[in-house]
Amino acid sequence: MKLSQFKFNLPESLIAHTPANTRDESRLMVLHRDSGKIEHKIFKDVLDYFDDQDVMILNNTKVFPARMYGNKEKTGATIEVFLLRELNKELRLWDVLVDPARKIRVGNKLYFGDDDLLIAEVVDNTTSRGRTIRFLFDGTDEEFRRNVEILGETPLPKYIKRKATAEDKDRYQTIFAKHEGAVAAPTAGLHFSRELMKRLELKGVEFAEVTLHVGLGTFRPVEVEDLTKHKMDSEQFIIEEKQANIVNRAIERKKRICAVGTTSMRTIESAVSANKTLKSANDWTSKFIFPPYEFSIANSMITNFHTPESTLLMMICAFGGYEHVMHAYEVAVKEKYRFYSYGDAMLII
């Protein structure tokens, strides 16, 4: 398939800049992948589609406050530093993006906070905007993390054209987030409220948790028409044996297994055993799923509405069927569904 086959007209007004008032009351489109039938619901109606011993696979990664603003030594120029990942805990080395990049050279020092709560030194160039920095901090890891928490902002995607607020700290995080390491939220999970999860549990639905630390690659545009030439960024994922067993029991019982979000789907598809079961793993994946593709574990999925030509839309088309999904997206635009991270949801069954 070609990149241009994933184009569609998305009015700017449909990109959600704020979350729904209540997590589980965003809209839900239900797409039946065998017939292409579409239903319009509210998210908490997912309850009606799942039963005893069905399994939902959740990504429990936790977003950290990755966007920081500092000042360059001598000039005092304001610099945005986006923390991508920690390279070495002892040395406090981090992989970051800087903006404006042309002003930041190896050897420069950056000061963060009114009273220079943190100071960092640029030690290497990685890509055009990428740098490796070392935080010059003598305290404990706990104190260092607390300072990052104080100085950092919720890393809302760039297309949300407003400053992050205190509300975003809560809402751009799933209620089941546990393991810090993501710079973008696994957004399909944002629709789950505590009450809805309790009601699913009472119905006998089981939850299996996996971890995939979402990187900025999730927003990286595809720049080649031939999709086989596109390279995904590598992301770390973890599946514990206990969680794999929950999924494998459901496979055995021929139950509904639902991947909540493209990140959960990519995780499980990166750890399929020879006999098509899920195996435990602690690894990195750069798996790129686009049509045609045969899925091994999940037979349903929950996802948000994604932007044109994105790798996320390509995965959804592979799962729901290209024609069905592209038609569903036309309907979503016509019905004014809200798109992307803070937008509405789709259940594909």
Side-chain angles (χ1 to χ4, degrees), residues 87 93-98 104-108 121-134:
L87 300 171
L93 283 179
W94 282 75
D95 196 4
V96 304
L97 293 177
V98 293
I104 301 299
R105 299 195 172 89
V106 172
N108 286 159
E121 184 182 8
V122 181
V123 295
D124 199 6
N125 295 325
T126 50
T127 60
S128 58
R129 284 180 55 218
R131 302 288 184 273
T132 302
I133 66 171
R134 180 173 65 232

Side-chain angles (χ1 to χ4, degrees), residues 207-324:
F207 296 103
E209 294 189 8
V210 298
T211 307
L212 179 130
H213 293 313
V214 191
L216 272 191
T218 189
F219 303 114
R220 199 182 300 291
V222 180
E223 289 168 339
V224 285
E225 179 67 2
D226 177 355
L227 298 186
T228 60
K229 303 229 174 355
H230 178 69
K231 294 276 180 287
M232 294 286 279
D233 287 16
S234 238
E235 292 169 321
Q236 188 184 16
F237 75 95
I238 299 157
I239 304 169
E240 287 169 7
E241 192 157 351
K242 185 180 161 199
Q243 307 299 322
N245 290 342
I246 295 171
V247 175
N248 292 334
R249 272 201 308 275
I251 293 174
E252 233 170 84
R253 293 166 176 158
K254 299 194 166 27
K255 290 293 178 181
R256 184 161 276 170
I257 298 165
C258 180
V260 176
T262 56
T263 61
S264 296
M265 185 67 92
R266 194 155 75 253
T267 303
I268 59 179
E269 284 297 317
S270 301
V272 180
S273 72
N275 59 352
K276 296 285 171 93
T277 58
L278 186 62
K279 53 187 187 186
S280 58
N282 185 339
D283 208 345
W284 291 76
T285 180
S286 53
K287 195 168 192 63
F288 176 28
I289 297 173
F290 58 94
Y293 182 87
E294 201 173 310
F295 291 82
S296 299
I297 307 288
N299 48 29
S300 60
M301 96 179 276
I302 291 170
T303 183
N304 278 23
F305 287 93
H306 306 293
T307 51
E309 298 185 318
S310 60
T311 57
L312 309 174
L313 173 59
M314 291 162 194
M315 182 196 288
I316 305 312
C317 285
F319 188 75
Y322 174 79
E323 276 82 13
H324 288 340

